[in-house]
Amino acid sequence: GVLLGLQWMSNWAQRKWAKFSKKETKLARRAAAEAQAALEAAEERDQENFLELASWLQARGAYINEAVGLARSPSAGRFLRAKREVRNGELLLEIPTACCFSVTPGAYEKLFDAKLCAALEAGGIRKEMAELALALAVERRQGEATADCLTEESAWLPYVQMLECTPSFPHFYKDSDLDLLENPPLKESLEARTRALQLLAAKSRMNEVDVKEAMQIVLGRAFTCDLLTCMLPVGDMLNHTFYPSCEVEAPSVGAESWKLRSKMDLKPGEELSWCYCEDPNHLLLQASGFVMQENPHNRIMARPSDLRKALLSVCNEKSPEDFDKERRKKFIEALPDPEEEGVGLSMFLVGRQPGGIQWNPLWLDLIGFAVTESPDAQHWGKTPEGMKHYFQALEKASWSLFPRNLKDDTESFTEKNEELAAVLRRGYKKLLQEALDGLKTRLSG
């Protein structure tokens, strides 16, 4: 009887599990179908708006090559692609500056008092970008009202309706999101930017979210040259890569158009991209709101006070008291706190460069000073265990700049902010691990 009862329970459990699994599979399929339908609807809307924008620009003297198309993917969002084969050097876009969204000089001059200018400088925001964001916030609000038939048609509606904005830049982050970066100077800088945008919204009497969204669009899309800072219709949908398929030619006196040319032959479907800059990830995040998984220009930065603390944690415990005091003074002299007031001020520790990885020589020298027992003692490099102790000190001091090492940084994430923070900090840690491994190999050789 007991065996029959257990068998019945087992069969019942299997039936319940099969029913549950079937239901879960059905729900997953429904969710996937809904997501695909939403993507297809967005793509259809994109194409309609893109054609309207292209016609609007062409009527104003712009050239848009028929090979330029708009595409969308769940991971990359919208991007430009080749609709047909493209030849190396082929002109793809030519947008006159008259078709670019810019600010009338002096339109917001009264807002920019000393307090606001200081806040913007601390937040790393140029005045021209702040003005452009304010103008764009006004135009987006007018565009929304136009779409709802509440006002006369916005002059920039064909362009404005293409400006999607899902809040994702750090000035939308919570404190807990910023902590996930594991980068104190970067956190300070991003907090200063948020405060600057709050003040900008208050001074302009605009909705704070509207100002922050407009600034996200401007930081991620604006083009700057000697003549102007502006939004470049169509061109501002180019994604960034360090190995671009296209290049941008800025306008100049007598040739006042932005031009986009291919840098290589392209097949249908290949992405049109260009290189925004050659910045490490912490600057990319501040300037453009994203980071690159494999950034060949990445580098680790740290506050002088954190570097001094790291050095003190590995000082030779056998050192005489007078030498130890002198060494602490030398650390302060070599790694002084910045004289000027500011946020996010930091020093280079180690970074990638063409051909390999470069350590800051000062950091390596200071590690050697930290492990020195005394001026009269034999140099650590000539002792049997000297190199081993040096490397252990370098490893400990360098890793102490992070709350955890790469091996322990394994948690998964569900939010975009968490994913971005993980890419940023793990990129630093992979760089540090590679740098330590490479130096260890050289020292042992």
Side-chain angles (χ1 to χ4, degrees):
V2 173
L3 291 176
L4 288 174
L6 291 173
Q7 182 64 44
W8 181 87
M9 287 291 291
S10 176
N11 292 339
W12 175 84
Q14 289 177 5
R15 288 195 301 272
K16 292 292 286 184
W17 175 252
K19 186 176 181 181
F20 174 77
S21 298
K22 187 176 181 180
K23 182 179 179 180
E24 287 292 300
T25 301
K26 188 176 181 180
L27 289 173
R29 287 175 178 170
R30 181 186 300 174
E34 291 174 351
Q36 182 61 32
L39 179 61
E40 291 173 357
E43 288 176 337
E44 183 176 351
R45 185 172 62 253
D46 284 344
Q47 297 307 319
E48 293 176 357
N49 291 341
F50 185 74
L51 289 175
E52 182 181 350
L53 175 60
S55 298
W56 182 80
L57 289 168
Q58 288 165 343
R60 287 159 177 77
Y63 169 74
I64 302 175
N65 193 312
E66 63 179 8
V68 177
L70 183 64
R72 179 187 286 267
S73 74
S75 58
R78 293 186 310 190
F79 60 94
L80 298 181
R81 65 176 179 85
K83 294 170 62 177
R84 61 161 173 79
E85 289 187 354
V86 173
R87 301 184 310 276
N88 182 12
E90 187 171 347
L91 180 64
L92 300 174
L93 296 175
E94 185 171 358
I95 311 294
T97 56
C99 295
C100 299
F101 185 87
S102 57
V103 182
T104 303
Y108 298 99
E109 192 64 36
K110 292 182 180 179
L111 296 179
F112 291 86
D113 57 17
K115 182 178 180 181
L116 179 56
C117 289
L120 291 172
E121 183 178 1
I125 302 173
R126 292 190 295 113
K127 180 184 175 184
E128 296 85 354
M129 300 292 268
E131 291 177 324
L132 189 58
L134 290 177
L136 187 61
V138 171
E139 201 64 44
R140 291 185 77 220
R141 179 62 71 182
Q142 185 178 349
E144 291 173 3
T146 299
D148 294 334
C149 301
L150 299 177
T151 67
E152 296 182 5
E153 182 170 320
S154 164
W156 290 90
L157 183 61
Y159 173 61
V160 170
Q161 67 186 4
M162 293 293 293
L163 297 177
E164 291 183 333
C165 184
T166 301
S168 61
F169 270 45
H171 53 248
F172 286 105
Y173 283 15
K174 304 186 296 289
D175 284 345
S176 56
D177 294 328
L178 294 176
D179 289 335
L180 291 175
L181 299 172
E182 296 185 5
N183 188 318
L186 178 57
K187 179 183 177 181
E188 288 179 0
S189 297
L190 296 176
E191 288 173 334
R193 172 164 294 179
T194 299
R195 291 193 296 272
L197 293 178
Q198 290 170 342
L199 182 59
L200 181 63
K203 290 279 188 182
S204 62
R205 297 184 179 180
M206 293 186 188
N207 180 277
E208 184 179 319
V209 173
D210 288 348
V211 172
K212 285 184 174 181
E213 287 187 353
M215 183 56 74
Q216 172 171 321
I217 294 171
V218 166
L219 289 174
R221 292 171 172 258
F223 281 67
T224 298
C225 67
D226 293 338
L227 296 183
L228 79 167
T229 295
C230 65
M231 307 298 293
L232 177 60
V234 180
D236 61 11
M237 286 186 280
L238 290 161
N239 280 339
H240 166 75
T241 174
F242 292 116
Y243 312 101
S245 60
C246 303
E247 59 185 353
V248 173
E249 298 175 14
S252 59
V253 177
E256 297 183 1
S257 292
W258 293 91
K259 296 180 181 180
L260 179 74
R261 296 184 185 276
S262 60
K263 292 182 64 177
M264 59 188 72
D265 293 337
L266 297 170
K267 297 178 181 178
E270 289 192 288
E271 184 173 358
L272 307 180
S273 60
W274 79 295
C275 180
Y276 296 3
C277 59
E278 294 184 344
D279 284 341
N281 274 342
H282 69 281
L283 294 182
L284 267 181
L285 182 60
Q286 288 177 279
S288 303
F290 64 88
V291 297
M292 301 296 288
Q293 189 82 246
E294 299 295 333
N295 188 332
H297 309 285
N298 220 7
R299 60 177 181 260
I300 298 173
M301 308 292 290
R303 294 180 299 195
S305 58
D306 292 333
L307 293 174
R308 295 197 303 268
K309 182 179 178 181
L311 287 169
L312 292 175
S313 71
V314 296
C315 282
N316 194 316
E317 296 179 352
K318 297 179 181 179
S319 297
E321 185 177 346
D322 57 342
F323 176 66
D324 188 55
K325 288 182 178 180
E326 184 64 25
R327 180 165 51 198
R328 290 169 183 264
K329 291 180 182 178
K330 292 294 185 183
F331 287 161
I332 295 173
E333 292 174 5
L335 300 170
D337 292 319
E339 293 182 3
E340 70 274 17
E341 292 185 4
V343 295
L345 300 173
S346 54
M347 293 181 61
F348 167 74
L349 181 75
V350 63
R352 300 189 187 279
Q353 63 173 13
I357 292 175
Q358 175 66 53
W359 283 93
N360 184 338
L362 175 62
W363 179 244
L364 299 182
D365 289 344
L366 290 174
I367 293 292
F369 192 32
V371 299
T372 298
E373 181 178 343
S374 73
D376 301 324
Q378 185 179 19
H379 188 275
W380 54 265
K382 297 181 179 179
T383 63
E385 297 290 314
M387 285 295 182
K388 177 182 176 181
H389 291 156
Y390 173 85
F391 183 78
Q392 288 175 342
L394 174 65
E395 191 172 38
K396 179 181 177 181
S398 299
W399 278 118
S400 72
L401 299 170
F402 298 98
R404 52 190 168 162
N405 60 29
L406 182 60
K407 189 172 73 170
D408 296 332
D409 190 354
T410 58
E411 78 270 22
S412 57
F413 37 78
T414 56
E415 301 293 333
K416 282 289 185 181
N417 295 351
E418 297 172 349
E419 180 181 357
L420 184 146
V423 171
L424 181 86
R425 67 175 187 265
R426 290 172 185 171
Y428 293 147
K429 295 172 184 179
K430 289 177 182 177
L431 166 59
L432 180 55
Q433 190 61 64
E434 287 180 37
L436 288 168
D437 290 345
L439 185 60
K440 185 176 183 180
T441 298
R442 292 200 300 273
L443 290 175
S444 61

